[in-house]
Amino acid sequence: MKLLNRGLALAVVGAGLAALPTIGVQAAPAAQADPDGVAAMADRATGDVAVTREEATKKVGFIRVKGDGDLLPSVEGSSPDAAKQKADAYLDQYAANFGARPDELVRSDVAESAAGWTATYTQTYKGVDVFGSMLRVQVDREGDLTSVNGYAAPDLSLSVDPRI
């Protein structure tokens, strides 16, 4: 009987130890790589950067510098034309982080305000506008690119041929 109790106790302890690594794996947060290069966006900027991702796509939905700073300090942007070029250069490099390929984004407008310029981009796929997609790039009067926000549909791969 004593031998049976010890055997049963060892079996229970063994089962607990066998389950422990599984429980630990489930409880530990998964290590997140930076497959879309968001860390590179923050590293290239001056100042503190805040990034918010779209819940559905996990792509960047909003990036901004807190206080003084510039998301693309290597490019001048203190005039309307320079602001357009700066916004274009930023999205040429980082469009994929927002969910679009660079050639899918078309600058549709540049609005001027007392704060600076806002360039608006829409997404097209094989020449067809993507419904609901829009990115806005804000450049202040000093030429600092201060934020980019909006939505682009990632990984599009579909037919655009009309049919019934």
Side-chain angles (χ1 to χ4, degrees):
M1 187 68 161
K2 211 179 215 185
L3 186 60
L4 183 60
N5 283 343
R6 284 186 186 163
L8 184 59
L10 286 173
V12 170
V13 169
L17 290 175
L20 190 58
T22 305
I23 292 169
V25 169
Q26 291 173 349
Q32 291 289 326
D34 189 24
D36 53 7
V38 175
M41 294 168 76
D43 289 344
R44 187 165 185 192
T46 59
D48 291 331
V49 176
V51 177
T52 304
R53 292 180 182 265
E54 291 288 329
E55 191 172 320
T57 64
K58 305 300 183 227
K59 298 292 185 179
V60 175
F62 184 54
I63 185 170
R64 70 179 177 93
V65 290
K66 301 177 198 175
D68 290 336
D70 191 346
L71 292 172
L72 191 61
S74 62
V75 177
E76 172 59 36
S78 60
S79 70
D81 285 337
K84 290 177 194 177
Q85 293 171 1
K86 185 167 190 159
D88 289 349
Y90 191 79
L91 290 178
D92 283 347
Q93 185 165 4
Y94 296 118
N97 297 3
F98 295 91
R101 296 170 189 97
D103 62 337
E104 292 176 346
L105 295 176
V106 177
R107 183 173 11 97
S108 59
D109 185 40
V110 176
E112 186 170 358
S113 70
W117 302 274
T118 300
T120 302
Y121 294 79
T122 56
Q123 183 181 16
T124 61
Y125 178 72
K126 295 183 178 179
V128 177
D129 291 340
V130 177
F131 181 77
S133 68
M134 180 182 0
L135 292 174
R136 289 203 166 129
V137 179
Q138 287 76 33
V139 179
D140 68 15
R141 291 276 175 197
E142 289 75 40
D144 296 334
L145 196 156
T146 58
S147 67
V148 181
N149 66 297
Y151 170 79
D155 306 322
L156 294 177
S157 177
L158 47 99
S159 174
V160 294
D161 294 328
R163 59 188 166 139
I164 297 177

